[in-house]
Amino acid sequence: MNIDARSIIDAPQLRSAAEQLRPDADPGEVVARAAWSVLLEPGDGVAGALIAVHGAVAALQLALGEPGLLVPEEISPRALADARSRWHPRAKAEAVKEALSSCREVGGQILLPDDEDWPRGLDDLGAHAPQVLWARGDPGVLHEGATASIVGARAATGYGESVAAEIAGDLASSGTTIISGGAYGIDGAAHRAALGSGGKTAAFLAGGVDRAYPIGHQQLFDRIRASGVVMSEVPCGGAPTKWRFLQRNRLIAASGMATVVVEAGWRSGSLNTAGHAAALGRPIGAVPGPVTSAASAGCHRLLREYDAVCVTNAQEVRELWGEQPDPASAAVRADPEQIRLLDALSSRAPRETAELARRSGLAMDRVRSLLGLLALDGAVTQHERGWQRTP
Amino acid sequence: MNIDARSIIDAPQLRSAAEQLRPDADPGEVVARAAWSVLLEPGDGVAGALIAVHGAVAALQLALGEPGLLVPEEISPRALADARSRWHPRAKAEAVKEALSSCREVGGQILLPDDEDWPRGLDDLGAHAPQVLWARGDPGVLHEGATASIVGARAATGYGESVAAEIAGDLASSGTTIISGGAYGIDGAAHRAALGSGGKTAAFLAGGVDRAYPIGHQQLFDRIRASGVVMSEVPCGGAPTKWRFLQRNRLIAASGMATVVVEAGWRSGSLNTAGHAAALGRPIGAVPGPVTSAASAGCHRLLREYDAVCVTNAQEVRELWGEQPDPASAAVRADPEQIRLLDALSSRAPRETAELARRSGLAMDRVRSLLGLLALDGAVTQHERGWQRTP
């Protein structure tokens, strides 16, 4: 079965919808990428490889049936046949028009990979990168400083939500954009704390940006859109399926400089996000919690199995991407012989040097030189009959 | 200043005290090692190197002033002179006699490095290994299976004590000897749980085994002695100084197959124990806790800075020394395409294969073969008008 891709790309109705949405862009490119967004399930690597070689327009022609284009070597004939048979049932001009017009109706925008506002971290996904992003709000918040993905369990505890809020609020108030998935629990606490501290936040959704999922976060999404951005690679009207949640997680992992999991059950979807971050070589942080709390079991699993870094505050999150800690917080290590000499000294009565040598098990010479140092620090005082620890 | 070591080693009073304590051993060796225990502060590497080359008796002669023995290359003349000036003020026959007789009075025993009951893990301390151990109870408990050192803060929380008890009790009841330091808090909880589960436990003290430190653990030490062992390298009467606590920690770290820190403040002494374990190449486990709890800050620091393994239960402690986990607990990973197909299926109404292909974005062939597999599992049911998810 072949479909004429030109019947989609060149359709006047579609070009006009594309021009309304993106007057600054090539309407053919916009239509083609909107079409891919309709044809694909997120993360389709065959489409990614075709588009990387031929561009969205020509790849669409090849995908839908016009021969004559070279297929990249890494795609086997079988994989291409499979892919075409996945795409064909969805190749309807009407669905593409619906994607474009419904985005416009909700005041959204379509982002293309070459756009300035495209989150550059997504490029690391290679063939599995999204072909388009549908956005509501200001996608620029992902370009104005550091970005941290903070995710976790929907069934979070008060402890988890409070730690998520503490860390996200601290990071956001110092200019880091907080990325999360808009879910109940940890995600919501992270978004809210970012908003509450006057900072920036971005939500990646598994379904279309025209619908609030979960519905109880309708108001939260309104607030995120007002100062940040809500994005999805699935067109408006798209349902948030389990597969799309799993693939949405790769966008969260790829667009943050680090991914932090605050609370997660043993099989939480947040571990999937962390797995994507690991695959991309992004640092993973895990917030520990009581071992008696099932909501922290996934975090402890990340520490054990995924080589995640234990993070307990915002500064430790910043260290994930290389910001140096305050040197004043570094531990000062005591000299072991000094400890032994201090053990041997009394704060109530002076003791002679020979007595201190015996008690401390240090040589007389060493005791004398250490006493000198301690006296400089004011830790010991010399009396007529020996040395005393300064009370 | 030279002292005749023979005046100590050959003193009839001392040899007789040694024979009473250890009728099976060479009295000269027993006296010499008891003397070293009196002369040394724990961890003295110069003494360790001398004794390793010449044995305890000859090394004592060299230490106290008789020339004619070769000094090992690694000891500089300066280090030897320093060491001699540390040892000489303590070289009193009376103090050695007191060490031997007071041990006998409390029903204790003296362990020598060649003894069958000597904890073999201590050998890894090399020149810093103790030269003798004073013990009350049965030192054999350190030889009858696995050993785990479980330590932590004196100022423990209810959470910490409860987790320590849970882990120590579980390990002890399956034959692992629990080693700790007899302190309030985590140490006490670990010892108690081991005793309570009918298991074995050993306490290493910083001071002499004749005194209970802390005094409030007098009864606990009595119970530990009754079925396990209380040990120290410091002779009876020796005070538990800060230095001795730090060095005592190396005995805990070296005698356990792994060291687990349950709760610890940011600068807790338990981090010192963990540091010793790390230096010896022993695995370190850290039990996480709420990031809001100062009593867990040291554990989180171990996870961040010391590459400790996050442990949340006894099984994870066993894995520290290589015991394999139950394979049934390993995660089963779902096939991603299967997830997409399950998303596309309804449990209320049957759907045709073409419809499922469109909804899942999978090729028709793939949908058919996956439906076959799912049907075998009973996850889907075929009806006249298509496939349905089994409710």
Side-chain angles (χ1 to χ4, degrees), chain A residues 112-362:
Chain A
L112 311 182
D114 285 341
D115 288 347
E116 202 181 324
D117 274 346
W118 185 262
R120 287 272 74 90
L122 298 181
D123 298 343
D124 293 348
L125 291 165
H128 301 278
Q131 298 306 326
V132 71
L133 282 174
W134 307 92
R136 294 174 77 187
D138 174 16
V141 296
L142 287 170
H143 295 270
E144 299 158 3
T147 51
S149 300
I150 298 185
V151 297
R154 286 188 298 277
T157 67
Y159 163 73
E161 295 198 5
S162 135
V163 174
E166 178 76 23
I167 291 178
D170 185 330
L171 288 172
S173 67
S174 59
T176 296
T177 297
I178 304 301
I179 299 163
S180 194
Y184 289 133
I186 299 300
D187 289 19
H191 288 304
R192 273 192 202 92
L195 293 167
S197 70
K200 296 163 292 182
T201 190
F204 282 99
L205 304 189
V209 293
D210 58 325
R211 49 167 79 185
Y213 187 91
I215 189 73
H217 272 178
Q218 177 74 60
Q219 280 197 311
L220 177 61
F221 292 129
D222 291 346
R223 290 179 63 206
I224 295 174
R225 282 193 283 107
S227 64
V229 69
V230 173
M231 295 202 271
S232 177
E233 64 187 305
V234 172
C236 287
T241 61
K242 185 168 179 187
W243 174 259
R244 290 170 181 173
F245 271 110
L246 293 175
Q247 290 300 309
R248 180 281 309 267
N249 292 343
R250 85 194 193 289
L251 305 185
I252 293 176
S255 55
M257 287 160 57
T259 291
V260 175
V261 181
V262 177
E263 272 191 328
W266 185 253
R267 292 180 187 281
S268 168
S270 305
L271 303 194
N272 172 262
T273 311
H276 282 299
L280 292 164
R282 297 278 200 287
I284 308 170
V287 173
V291 300
T292 46
S293 167
S296 286
C299 290
H300 300 151
R301 191 177 177 193
L302 286 174
L303 292 171
R304 287 179 58 77
E305 298 175 18
Y306 291 65
D307 210 21
V309 175
C310 173
V311 294
T312 66
N313 57 41
Q315 176 51 37
E316 291 176 356
V317 173
R318 288 184 199 104
E319 288 171 38
L320 289 176
W321 57 74
E323 276 189 42
Q324 290 308 305
D326 181 357
S329 74
V332 179
R333 299 188 71 167
D335 168 21
E337 293 190 329
Q338 194 167 300
I339 295 171
R340 278 161 64 174
L341 181 55
L342 285 169
D343 280 339
L345 284 153
S346 163
S347 57
R348 292 181 299 275
R351 284 177 180 162
E352 290 185 2
T353 314
E355 165 80 359
L356 292 173
R358 195 186 59 74
R359 284 180 178 263
S360 66
L362 295 170

Side-chain angles (χ1 to χ4, degrees), chain B residues 87-357:
Chain B
W87 302 330
H88 279 202
R90 294 180 174 182
K92 309 262 187 274
E94 192 51 40
V96 180
K97 176 158 180 283
E98 180 63 26
L100 290 165
S101 59
S102 59
C103 175
R104 185 159 177 251
E105 276 158 28
V106 296
Q109 45 187 310
I110 184 170
L111 281 183
L112 312 181
D114 286 340
D115 288 347
E116 203 182 323
D117 273 347
W118 184 263
R120 286 272 74 88
L122 299 182
D123 298 344
D124 293 349
L125 291 165
H128 300 279
Q131 297 308 326
V132 72
L133 283 174
W134 307 93
R136 294 173 78 185
D138 174 15
V141 296
L142 288 169
H143 294 272
E144 300 158 5
T147 51
S149 299
I150 299 185
V151 297
R154 286 188 299 276
T157 68
Y159 163 71
E161 295 198 6
S162 134
V163 175
E166 179 76 23
I167 291 178
D170 185 330
L171 288 171
S173 68
S174 60
T176 296
T177 297
I178 304 301
I179 298 163
S180 195
Y184 288 133
I186 299 301
D187 289 18
H191 287 304
R192 272 192 204 93
L195 293 167
S197 71
K200 297 162 293 182
T201 191
F204 281 98
L205 304 189
V209 293
D210 58 325
R211 48 167 79 185
Y213 187 91
I215 190 72
H217 272 178
Q218 177 73 63
Q219 278 196 310
L220 177 60
F221 292 129
D222 291 346
R223 290 179 63 207
I224 294 174
R225 280 192 285 109
S227 65
V229 69
V230 174
M231 293 201 272
S232 178
E233 64 186 307
V234 173
C236 287
T241 62
K242 186 167 180 188
W243 174 259
R244 290 171 181 172
F245 271 110
L246 294 175
Q247 290 298 311
R248 181 279 310 267
N249 291 344
R250 85 195 194 289
L251 304 186
I252 292 176
S255 54
M257 286 159 58
T259 291
V260 175
V261 182
V262 177
E263 272 191 329
W266 185 254
R267 291 179 187 281
S268 168
S270 306
L271 303 194
N272 171 262
T273 311
H276 282 299
L280 292 165
R282 297 278 199 287
I284 307 171
V287 173
V291 302
T292 46
S293 168
S296 286
C299 290
H300 300 150
R301 191 177 177 192
L302 286 174
L303 292 170
R304 288 178 57 78
E305 299 176 17
Y306 291 65
D307 211 21
V309 175
C310 173
V311 293
T312 67
N313 57 39
Q315 176 51 37
E316 291 176 355
V317 173
R318 288 184 200 104
E319 287 171 38
L320 289 176
W321 57 75
E323 276 189 43
Q324 291 307 306
D326 182 359
S329 74
V332 179
R333 300 188 70 166
D335 167 22
E337 292 190 331
Q338 192 166 303
I339 295 172
R340 278 160 64 172
L341 181 55
L342 285 168
D343 279 340
L345 284 153
S346 163
S347 57
R348 292 181 298 276
R351 285 176 179 161
E352 289 183 2
T353 313
E355 165 81 358
L356 292 173

